[in-house]
Amino acid sequence: MGTDAALAERERAPDEINARARAVGLLHEAGVPFVVGGAYAYATYTGIYRDTKDLDLFPRKADAIRALEVLEKDGWRTEHHDEVWIYKAYKGDYFVDFIFSSGNGVATVDDEWFTNAKKATIFGYECLIAPAEEMIWSKAFVTERERYDGADINHLILKAGREMDWDRILRRFDRYWEVLLSHLMMFRFAYPSERDIIPNYVMTELMSRTLQTVRDGSWDERLCRGNLVSKVNYHVDIHHWGFGDGRAWDEQERPEGDVRGARSELENTAGSGR
C-alpha cells in the first residue's frame, strides 16, 4: 500500500489484468451500466494504491444479472454467490465481483450511485466511479475481525470530505446513524487537526440524537443489532444469550426503496417497544 500507482497491479499477472480489462470492455460494449468501486475507486479519491485480488463493479441488481450473461457468452464461469449482495464471474483463476448491495442488504445500489458518480479512466475506458458518500455508506458496515474498513472511511473523509454531500450521507444512514457516528468519532480521533472537514452541523445533529437516546433510555425489546455490522461476531448473543436477531428485525422494519432515509425523526423506533 502506498502512493505509487504501480502498487495496484505490481503483484498481478498480466493475464489477470487483461481479464479485468476485458470484463470492463465487454460490459461497455454491451451497454451494461455499473460504477467501479473497490481499490480502483478508493485510489481515485485518496491517491492510495494497493494490491487487489479482484475487480469490484457496482451495478443495480438487474444489471448484475445482465453482466453475468454478457460474460458467460465470453466463456466466463458465473456464480450467484449471494442473492442479498454479490454475484461473481470467473475467467480461470481470476474473477470480478458484481456488488449490488452491502452484505447486510442495507447499502443497495440505486440511481444515486450513478447520478453522483465521478469519471475516471480504468483500463483505457472512461468509467463511472462510485461516489465517496456511497462508498462510506457501504464500507461502514464492514467490521469483522478479519476485515475492518474504518481506515478506508477515514481516508475517504480526509481526502474527499470537504466536497462530499453530508446531507446525503445523513439520509443514507437514516436508522443506522449510530454506525455513522462511530466512524466519525474515529476520524476525529485519528485526525484531531482535521476535525473541521466534517461540518459542525453533522456532528451537532448526531450528538443531539445521542442525547435523545440517553433521555429515552433502553428499548424494551432485548435485541442485538450487532449482526448488521458483523456476520459472525454476534452469533453467541443471538443463539445462546437470548438476544433477538437484530438483522432479521431490521429487514422486517426496513423501509423500501426511495423511502429509506426520507424521515426526519431522530430515531426510527418502530418495533422498539416504546
Side-chain angles (χ1 to χ4, degrees):
M1 180 184 297
T3 56
D4 179 1
L7 292 171
E9 300 175 352
R10 181 177 293 165
E11 302 300 320
R12 301 291 119 186
D15 285 349
E16 182 170 6
I17 301 304
N18 290 338
R20 296 177 187 177
R22 182 163 183 78
V24 170
L26 288 169
L27 296 174
H28 264 280
E29 291 172 10
V32 178
F34 62 86
V35 298
V36 178
Y40 291 96
Y42 181 66
T44 298
Y45 289 105
T46 67
I48 298 173
Y49 298 87
R50 59 190 177 204
D51 177 49
T52 179
K53 67 183 186 303
D54 59 9
L55 172 65
D56 290 338
L57 303 182
F58 287 71
R60 303 173 188 86
K61 188 172 184 179
D63 293 321
I65 296 172
R66 290 178 56 201
L68 295 190
E69 293 171 350
V70 169
L71 296 188
E72 281 176 355
K73 292 178 182 177
D74 190 55
W76 295 60
R77 177 174 64 85
T78 62
E79 177 182 300
H80 287 223
H81 186 75
D82 189 322
E83 290 294 345
V84 171
W85 70 289
I86 187 172
Y87 296 158
K88 291 176 176 284
Y90 297 85
K91 189 73 166 177
D93 294 331
Y94 314 128
F95 63 99
V96 176
D97 285 341
F98 294 99
I99 301 169
F100 43 86
S101 187
S102 52
N104 58 13
V106 171
T108 301
V109 176
D110 58 18
D111 291 350
E112 290 190 79
W113 287 71
F114 293 83
T115 57
N116 296 293
K118 292 184 63 173
K119 291 183 179 180
T121 300
I122 306 293
F123 302 119
Y125 296 91
E126 186 180 76
C127 294
L128 295 178
I129 303 299
E133 294 88 344
E134 275 67 28
M135 290 181 69
I136 290 172
W137 184 36
S138 179
K139 285 176 174 292
F141 297 98
V142 183
T143 65
E144 299 289 357
R145 289 186 64 185
E146 72 278 5
R147 176 172 172 179
Y148 172 66
D149 281 358
D152 283 3
I153 291 172
N154 282 347
H155 286 130
L156 285 166
I157 295 173
L158 180 67
K159 293 298 184 179
R162 296 191 189 280
E163 290 75 45
M164 289 196 306
D165 184 343
W166 286 95
D167 287 337
R168 190 163 94 249
I169 291 175
L170 286 171
R171 176 168 53 81
R172 285 302 204 185
F173 277 90
D174 185 32
R175 64 200 284 133
Y176 317 102
W177 62 267
E178 289 153 310
V179 177
L180 172 62
L181 177 59
S182 72
H183 285 288
L184 298 187
M185 292 302 292
M186 285 301 297
F187 176 84
R188 289 168 61 85
F189 175 81
Y191 300 105
S193 63
E194 310 301 321
R195 290 174 178 171
D196 64 338
I197 290 177
I198 303 169
N200 287 341
Y201 80 88
V202 172
M203 294 304 302
T204 300
E205 169 68 13
L206 295 177
M207 296 304 292
S208 296
R209 298 184 190 188
T210 302
L211 288 173
Q212 186 61 49
T213 64
V214 172
R215 298 186 190 103
D216 290 344
S218 299
W219 291 16
D220 295 334
E221 183 176 356
R222 197 162 185 259
L223 194 68
C224 175
R225 292 186 290 174
N227 58 349
L228 281 161
V229 294
S230 172
K231 189 174 182 179
V232 299
N233 287 328
Y234 295 93
H235 184 275
V236 169
D237 307 71
I238 294 166
H239 295 278
H240 297 279
W241 290 349
F243 285 89
D245 185 329
R247 176 169 172 176
W249 170 86
D250 188 76
E251 288 171 351
Q252 291 176 353
E253 298 289 340
R254 190 180 300 161
E256 295 294 333
D258 291 338
V259 175
R260 182 183 305 134
R263 296 182 308 281
S264 60
E265 292 90 339
L266 292 183
E267 181 178 22
N268 180 353
T269 56
S272 69
R274 294 202 303 275

